[in-house]
Amino acid sequence: MLVDDHLVVRVGLRGLLETQPDLTVVAEASGGAAAVAAFAEHRPDVTLMDLRMPDMGGVEATAAIRAKFPDARILVLTTFETEEDIFRVLEAGAAGCLLKNTETKPLLEAIRAAHAGTYQLPPDIAGRFAKWRAMPELSAREREVLELIVRGRSNKEIGTALGVAENTVKNHVKVILDKLRVQDRTQAATTALQRGLVSMPRRA
Amino acid sequence: MLVDDHLVVRVGLRGLLETQPDLTVVAEASGGAAAVAAFAEHRPDVTLMDLRMPDMGGVEATAAIRAKFPDARILVLTTFETEEDIFRVLEAGAAGCLLKNTETKPLLEAIRAAHAGTYQLPPDIAGRFAKWRAMPELSAREREVLELIVRGRSNKEIGTALGVAENTVKNHVKVILDKLRVQDRTQAATTALQRGLVSMPRRA
DNA sequence: CGCGAAGTAGCCCGAATGGGCCATTGTCCC
DNA sequence: GGGACAATGGCCCATTCGGGCTACTTCGCG
C-alpha cells in the first residue's frame, strides 16, 4: 500500500513497483485517516508511508495501524523530515525509514526485507535513535516556553505571555537548557527547530 | 523536460504528463549539470525543475540555462523549500513556482500557461517576493557571523573563530539585526533558518 | 499517607547582549 | 580625486541572560 499526499509520488512509486513480478500495489491513500481505513480493508503485506500529510500525520497513522494490527509492516518514506519525526514514527512501530531519493534497487530490497521481517536500520540512524530515546522529555510548560524562545521572545515577554513571573520563566529556561544539553537560548532555539520540537515561526 | 533527483518523482510526473496528448516528455535529468546539457540538446518548451539537487542546485541550473537561452520557460517544482530558495530562483528567471502536492489539473494548467507565457505567480508569493527584493543583502562577513550565531556561538567565540575582536563581532551583529529587522540574536537565528540564509547546524 | 515531579517564585551575581556613537582602513566605482 | 560602503575596532551603559541556591504549593502515584 502506498500512502502519500503527493499524487506524483504515488504514481511514481506505483510505476516503479509494478515492474516487479513479486510486488503489487493493492491500495493507495493520500492521507493518514484514509490510510488507516485502507489498511483495515486491504491488509497489505507492506505499507510505504509518507510522514508529512495534511489530515493525519504519518506518525499518528502508523500508531493507529499498529494498534489494531501489531504485525503491520510499515516503511516510512521521507524526503527530509526532522529527526524528531523519524524517531517518533520508529517509536510508533515503523519497521524502518527510507529517503525518497533512494535508488530503485535499495528501495525494492527494503520492501522485501520489511516483508520478511529482516529490515535493518542504518547504523548511524539507529545510534541516534537510541540517544534520542535516552533523552528526557520536556514538560508541557517547558515546551510552551521553548516555543516562545524560538519566536525570539525575552524572558520577561514570555512571563507576560504566560502570566507568570520572569523568575519562573528563567527557571524553566534553565531546565530546558539542561534537558537539551545546550548552553544558551539561541542553541535551544536552533536545536528545537532541527529536532522538530517546535515548528517554524510564521513570518511577520 | 523533467529535472529532479528523485527517480520516483520523475516517473510520477512522466506518468501524469503522458496522459495528455499535447504534452510530451522529451528529456529527463537527475541533476543540475545534466539539466543544462540536456536543455541545450533538446530545447524543451517547458522545463520542470526541482530545487534541491545534489550536484548543482536548481537555482544555479536555472540561471545557467537562462543565461544561454533567455526565452527558456522554467517552472520550479518544489516540495517545501525555504522562501530564500524560491525567491532566488525566481530572480534567476524561473517563470513560476509550484508545490509538488498540487493536483493534476493545476499542474497541467501551469505548464500550458508557462508555455504560452501567461503564467502568474500566486498573489501572496508575489507580494513576499517583492518584499524580499527590497531587503538589503547581508555581506559575506555578516553571513559568516550569522552562521555562527545560528550555531549558538557567543560574540566572543565568534571573534575568536574569525580572528577579530569581540567589538567587531558586536558591530556585525548590530548590522545583521538591523538588516533582518529583528530584535535579538535568537530571532536572527530562527529567521535565518526559515529564510534559508544558512542551513541547519549539524548535530553534535 | 509520603514521596517526588512539575510549576511557581524569590535571591544574588557575573557575564553576555544590544544600542548608542565615532574612527580608521581598505576597496570599488564614478 | 571624491564618495560610498564593508570591515575593523573602540567606548559607554542599560538590559538581559545564565547559573546557583532555596522554598512553597499542587498533583499524582505507589
Side-chain angles (χ1 to χ4, degrees), chain B residues 131 134-136 175-183 187:
Chain B
K131 215 191 280 179
M135 185 135 82
V175 176
I176 291 170
L177 297 184
D178 193 50
K179 286 189 180 174
L180 296 186
R181 298 190 212 152
V182 295
Q183 276 72 50
Q187 288 178 21

Side-chain angles (χ1 to χ4, degrees), chain A residues 84-197:
Chain A
E84 187 80 6
D85 287 330
I86 294 172
F87 294 158
R88 286 234 313 276
V89 80
L90 289 176
E91 191 91 334
C97 160
L98 295 168
L99 290 178
K100 274 187 189 165
N101 60 7
T102 47
E103 289 304 310
T104 310
K105 196 176 294 187
L107 171 67
L108 297 175
E109 282 171 8
I111 292 174
R112 296 192 178 106
H115 183 217
T118 60
Y119 183 80
Q120 295 288 331
L121 272 185
D124 60 326
I125 300 272
R128 291 198 288 192
F129 181 40
K131 214 190 282 179
W132 176 82
R133 299 182 76 161
M135 184 128 83
E137 298 275 324
L138 295 184
S139 72
R141 197 55 154 176
E142 285 154 4
R143 275 194 300 274
E144 273 185 292
V145 173
L146 181 57
E147 164 112 7
L148 292 169
I149 288 178
V150 172
R151 306 266 177 273
R153 320 289 289 276
S154 72
N155 288 339
K156 186 178 297 189
E157 288 172 329
I158 296 173
T160 305
L162 299 184
V164 300
E166 183 187 353
N167 279 319
T168 303
V169 177
K170 288 174 65 172
N171 256 330
H172 287 312
V173 171
K174 267 183 289 198
V175 175
I176 292 170
L177 297 184
D178 194 50
K179 286 188 179 175
L180 296 185
R181 298 191 212 151
V182 294
Q183 276 72 51
D184 58 56
R185 59 175 48 223
T186 304
Q187 288 177 21
T190 56
T191 311
L193 286 177
Q194 186 183 28
R195 298 242 306 266
L197 299 176

Side-chain angles (χ1 to χ4, degrees), chain B residues 139-141 164-165 167-168 171-172:
Chain B
S139 72
R141 196 55 153 176
V164 299
N167 277 320
T168 303
N171 258 330
H172 287 313

